[in-house]
Amino acid sequence: MFMMRRETSLSDKRITVRRDGEERVIEAPVGAGFLSLLKMHGFPLVCCNGKGTCGRCRILFEGQRALLPVAADRIAFSAEELRQGYRLACMHRVQGDCTVRVEFVESRAVEAVTTHGGGIRDGSAGAAKCSSAANGGMPGRSAEYLIAVDLGTTTVAMQAVAADSLRELKRGGRLRILGEYSCMNPQRRWGSDVISRLQAAERGEAGELAEAVRDVLEEGVEQLCGELGGRPESIWLAGNTSMEHLLMELDTRTLGRYPFTPVCLQEMCLPGRQGKDGVSGQEIRLLPGISAFVGADITAGLLACGFAECEDGECRLFIDLGTNGEMAIGRGDRLICTAAAAGPAFEGGAGVNVPGTDMIALLAEMLEGGVIDETGLLKEPFFDTGWQKGELRITQQDIRGLQMAKAAVCAGVELLMEAMGTDASRIDKVFLAGGFGYFLDVEKAAWIGLFPPQLAGRVTAVGNTSLLGACLYGGEESLREKAEAMCRRAEVLNLAELPGFEQKYLERLNF
């Protein structure tokens, strides 16, 4: 038996923790939260950090009566699992001696999508992907290039792009990608969502959050420089407003509470750190954002999709789906943006732990097979135990989470069209951005109501427009000026304050 002890008082309780055949004994005071206690003693978990929404911090009380379930437990577990003693660690505190088995659901490894597909701008019919060797050189070859960075909540992606190919792109050529680097965002250990990280910054951990990202940025730049044999001309980074604020160690207190006011939305410069050899690293330029919820990653995406140069009278819609669903509609000089909270639904539920794109396909199958009705209700005999396909199990919680996310996005799209004075029949192009959009089955997404079905035939999956937009912004000064002007003229809708949003949201909950 593996024991862990500390100096205790008579009031401490004895918590026996079991996992994977090992056993530990932890002594803790009454009132200690189980999740914090377990993480403190060597059971790490990327989760929602106490909100009860992700369902990943599963524990099973063994050998005694479990603590009474709360509302979050009843959503996360079936009736049978509740009877067995399953609970969410983040929802419960130590009351007495007990034995718990840790059954945390590890977050799924996410591969950063770096591809940016065809049809994004005139003459950009796909970015030519190739390694440094495939571009006619071996490691050690020097080339004029810039580095683009997509700093996401979940992943960090980088591309080294040949500078001359940016000029060729304007003439109908292709980008030449000399190298790539990607990894999970190390800030995930503070929580998988932005709010958890903003709260950590408020607790005094802002420096650690910033350093964690700066370390991986430095690692990525050094790897690319080593492959290409020279320093880049410049480095350009696009991220959402919270990610950029955390990187720059700006005050984030006003981002997490109404009226959600950012400190800065302008282009910023992150100075290079001084290395052990006394030589300073290269500075990183951060693209400007539009609002607290429509950040520089969307500025980059809109630039990549031609919204900064929308002079042809076409009406274009941009949708980037992730933890938040950012959307924009543009026609002529007018641009309207908004964002809808999606939560973890598009990343897959805790029970199934699969990508949200697969979740949408499975829900479409369940609808067609009569496993769920149009309200999303699982029919018998699946209501208590969930619906099983192979090793995957979809619960009522997973279905409800996706329903709420897709209803918010669809309502947001409809309100954007209303604000522009148009409807789905008059939208010329729809750009679906991001890794989620790149792998999405558009017809099935329209069928379950992720966006108005009339738009399905006009949707183009454009991949990582944040990287492409950062390349364009960094490669041409005239585009920087146009992007900055686009940010200034953008109108921002707050969905929560719009009359009619709640009604549209409720109407779009059904499949």
Side-chain angles (χ1 to χ4, degrees):
M1 182 183 295
F2 176 41
M3 306 285 283
M4 178 178 286
R5 289 184 177 274
R6 63 176 178 83
E7 188 174 340
T8 64
S9 69
L10 294 176
S11 62
D12 280 353
K13 301 302 176 184
R14 182 185 177 93
I15 316 300
T16 302
V17 182
R18 294 173 178 166
R19 186 178 192 179
D20 298 332
E22 291 191 356
E23 185 173 292
R24 301 186 186 188
V25 175
I26 300 171
E27 285 156 338
V30 171
F34 276 101
L35 178 59
S36 299
L37 186 66
L38 291 169
K39 290 176 75 170
M40 186 188 307
H41 286 84
F43 297 91
L45 178 68
V46 173
C47 60
C48 66
N49 275 4
K51 299 178 182 63
T53 56
C54 74
R56 291 193 174 113
C57 58
R58 297 164 60 102
I59 57 175
L60 174 64
F61 285 87
E62 295 184 331
Q64 73 282 317
R65 188 173 181 179
L67 299 174
L68 290 174
V70 297
D73 294 318
R74 297 185 187 280
I75 293 172
F77 300 109
S78 68
E80 178 58 29
E81 287 174 325
L82 291 172
R83 286 191 290 270
Q84 291 173 7
Y86 281 97
R87 300 291 185 267
L88 295 177
C90 68
M91 292 287 103
H92 296 279
R93 297 182 177 277
V94 173
Q95 295 183 11
D97 295 347
C98 63
T99 299
V100 298
R101 190 168 78 221
V102 175
E103 296 193 5
F104 287 170
V105 178
E106 300 298 335
S107 60
R108 175 180 52 86
V110 178
E111 182 180 352
V113 172
T114 56
T115 301
H116 25 76
I120 297 172
R121 297 176 74 241
D122 290 342
S124 65
K129 265 196 172 184
C130 45
S131 66
S132 54
N135 273 285
M138 297 296 291
R141 177 181 64 85
S142 181
E144 292 185 354
Y145 69 97
L146 61 81
I147 292 177
V149 184
D150 172 24
L151 175 57
T153 307
T154 303
T155 60
V156 180
M158 307 174 71
Q159 283 185 338
V161 178
D164 59 357
S165 71
L166 285 165
R167 293 184 287 272
E168 293 170 8
L169 183 64
K170 291 189 66 178
R171 299 191 294 267
R174 293 186 174 188
L175 286 179
R176 287 189 292 118
I177 299 170
L178 306 179
E180 294 186 338
Y181 172 91
S182 64
C183 66
M184 300 295 288
N185 187 324
Q187 291 178 343
R188 283 168 62 84
R189 67 175 178 265
W190 281 274
S192 57
D193 60 293
V194 168
I195 296 299
S196 296
R197 300 179 203 179
L198 297 181
Q199 291 171 342
E202 283 196 47
R203 294 194 303 267
E205 300 174 60
E208 296 172 58
L209 283 154
E211 285 298 302
V213 173
R214 293 197 68 176
D215 284 343
V216 300
L217 293 177
E218 190 173 274
E219 178 182 314
V221 170
E222 290 305 313
Q223 178 175 309
L224 291 171
C225 289
E227 291 174 359
L228 299 174
R231 309 299 295 181
E233 293 181 348
S234 54
I235 306 172
W236 301 87
L237 180 147
N240 68 50
T241 305
S242 293
M243 289 298 98
E244 291 200 351
H245 274 53
L246 289 170
L247 175 61
M248 298 297 293
E249 292 188 67
L250 300 180
D251 189 346
T252 58
R253 287 175 295 180
T254 56
L255 281 179
R257 57 177 66 94
Y258 188 83
F260 312 108
T261 307
V263 171
C264 180
L265 291 170
Q266 306 303 312
E267 182 184 306
M268 294 182 281
C269 178
L270 179 69
R273 292 194 292 193
Q274 184 169 311
K276 295 178 181 179
D277 56 3
V279 178
S280 294
Q282 195 158 342
E283 69 178 24
I284 299 175
R285 307 293 302 189
L286 280 63
L287 271 65
I290 295 173
S291 74
F293 297 114
V294 183
D297 52 345
I298 306 305
T299 299
L302 294 173
L303 181 62
C305 295
F307 281 71
E309 305 170 282
C310 202
E311 300 170 355
D312 51 15
E314 286 190 333
C315 192
R316 307 176 184 189
L317 183 65
F318 177 91
I319 306 173
D320 190 334
L321 298 176
T323 306
N324 284 317
E326 291 101 345
M327 297 159 277
I329 190 169
R331 184 172 58 193
D333 289 334
R334 195 173 183 202
L335 175 67
I336 313 173
C337 308
T338 193
F346 295 136
E347 296 180 356
V352 292
N353 205 29
V354 295
T357 49
D358 291 353
M359 184 74 175
I360 285 176
L362 289 170
L363 284 182
E365 180 181 332
M366 293 166 75
L367 271 171
E368 187 177 19
V371 177
I372 56 176
D373 62 21
E374 65 176 12
T375 71
L377 187 67
L378 275 165
K379 296 182 179 179
E380 293 294 351
F382 309 110
F383 182 77
D384 285 334
T385 60
W387 181 72
Q388 196 88 16
K389 183 170 183 178
E391 296 181 354
L392 306 179
R393 182 172 66 89
I394 296 180
T395 67
Q396 195 67 66
Q397 177 201 16
D398 301 322
I399 297 167
R400 294 302 186 214
L402 189 60
Q403 275 184 280
M404 291 187 288
K406 68 98 177 176
V409 169
C410 192
V413 167
E414 291 182 346
L415 287 169
L416 277 180
M417 292 189 296
E418 286 184 10
M420 184 60 78
T422 190
D423 56 37
S425 67
R426 291 186 284 175
I427 300 293
D428 296 293
K429 295 178 181 176
V430 182
F431 300 98
L432 198 56
F436 178 85
Y438 192 69
F439 296 110
L440 186 66
D441 185 317
V442 172
E443 289 187 2
K444 289 179 179 177
W447 190 21
I448 71 163
L450 183 58
F451 45 76
Q454 304 96 305
L455 297 177
R458 280 160 270 171
V459 174
T460 301
V462 289
N464 194 325
T465 54
S466 183
L467 279 176
L468 179 56
C471 287
L472 297 173
Y473 185 93
E476 188 175 335
E477 188 173 352
S478 65
L479 285 181
R480 290 200 284 277
E481 294 171 355
K482 289 178 179 179
E484 289 166 356
M486 177 183 70
C487 290
R488 289 193 297 270
R489 74 170 186 267
E491 306 166 44
V492 180
L493 300 183
N494 185 335
L495 293 180
E497 296 179 349
L498 282 182
F501 171 71
E502 184 176 354
Q503 183 61 36
K504 281 190 180 294
Y505 171 80
L506 294 173
E507 290 172 354
R508 300 296 173 262
L509 279 172
N510 285 359
F511 292 114

